[in-house]
Amino acid sequence: RFECYPIDCRVEISMQRLERAISSKPSQQHLVISDDPKGKGLGFAACARLLNTTRQEKDSKNKLTAIGSSTTFLITGVTSYTSETPVLSCLEKLDAAAMYNYVELRQRHIQDFTSAFGFTRLSLRESARFVPSSRQDIDTEILDTGVRVAELGEECVWQNKSKYLIMDPSLIALSYNYARYLLVSSSRENSVAPANLQGVWADG
């Protein structure tokens, strides 16, 4: 979901893959990337749908474009491991989700994840964090995550001229929870297969 108050913003979404992929646009609201029917290997489809927007532009078959103060995209994927027709199944999943608005979808998502996500909690002392003195008054949570990762372990000079390594305990907790989120997303009790390392081989 993209929000651009108080002015409208232009949002474009496209999907690409290095090989064995064909892009298509079944409608002005749908975008699909799927495997080449002439190719070999596992069949797949990734689909996106524009849920709601103020204005929508008609553009090329390779992207969806929306202009408005609030825009929601739905994205899902299916492989031939679970469906003989990945593209059709993918579009059906999107259309089923599109029956709900953003607030309803978010609430259903929270309820679903809470049942699997709420068993553990990691809390690390924020007082153990050392940052450059120029950012002492900045809330850690609003900093760009990439900046926090890049600075972790770097040397900085404290106000009393002492040198410390930058420590960010809440970033470690965030990474822990993110890993759990990905695992819950990829495999559940009734999943057809356990989670594996297929992301490592995605370019092959």
Side-chain angles (χ1 to χ4, degrees):
R1 180 178 176 89
F2 299 88
E3 296 184 349
C4 309
Y5 301 110
I7 61 175
D8 290 352
C9 62
R10 177 191 179 95
V11 180
E12 295 183 356
I13 184 171
S14 62
M15 296 187 290
Q16 299 178 346
R17 194 175 190 273
L18 294 179
E19 58 182 22
R20 293 188 57 236
I22 299 175
S23 295
S24 61
K25 199 170 182 181
S27 73
Q28 286 299 317
Q29 289 184 313
H30 295 83
L31 183 64
V32 176
I33 184 171
S34 58
D35 63 294
D36 186 346
K38 299 180 181 179
K40 298 180 180 180
L42 189 70
F44 65 88
C47 308
R49 171 172 173 160
L50 185 61
L51 185 59
N52 65 297
T53 186
T54 304
R55 300 192 306 277
Q56 180 179 354
E57 288 190 356
K58 294 183 179 180
D59 44 35
S60 69
K61 66 178 181 180
N62 297 321
K63 63 182 179 180
L64 295 174
T65 304
I67 301 175
S69 59
S70 178
T71 301
T72 301
F73 288 97
L74 303 178
I75 301 175
T76 191
V78 177
T79 70
S80 57
Y81 191 84
T82 58
S83 173
E84 295 182 357
T85 55
V87 173
L88 179 60
S89 298
C90 193
L91 292 173
E92 288 177 346
K93 286 178 178 290
L94 282 185
D95 290 341
M99 296 176 63
Y100 302 92
N101 61 38
Y102 170 76
V103 174
E104 293 170 330
L105 287 171
R106 186 174 186 276
Q107 185 59 38
R108 288 166 61 89
H109 175 74
I110 292 174
Q111 291 176 350
D112 177 52
F113 261 74
T114 300
S115 62
F117 203 77
F119 291 105
T120 63
R121 179 180 180 181
L122 178 63
S123 178
L124 300 176
R125 292 190 304 115
E126 186 64 26
S127 59
R129 183 175 188 268
F130 295 100
V131 298
S133 58
S134 61
R135 290 221 305 266
Q136 286 301 300
D137 298 327
I138 299 178
D139 184 0
T140 301
E141 303 300 329
I142 68 173
L143 293 176
D144 183 84
T145 303
V147 173
R148 295 172 67 184
V149 171
E151 289 185 345
L152 190 63
E154 292 294 320
E155 186 179 83
C156 68
V157 179
W158 200 245
Q159 292 177 343
N160 60 4
K161 306 301 181 180
S162 300
K163 292 183 178 180
Y164 295 92
L165 294 181
I166 296 178
M167 302 173 62
D168 194 346
S170 65
L171 178 62
I172 305 302
L174 178 65
S175 300
Y176 171 77
N177 287 323
Y178 180 55
R180 294 180 61 227
Y181 184 90
L182 293 179
L183 184 60
V184 172
S185 299
S186 62
S187 184
R188 296 290 189 93
E189 182 178 357
N190 297 319
S191 297
V192 295
N196 56 36
L197 299 177
Q198 63 183 12
V200 177
W201 323 113
D203 292 339

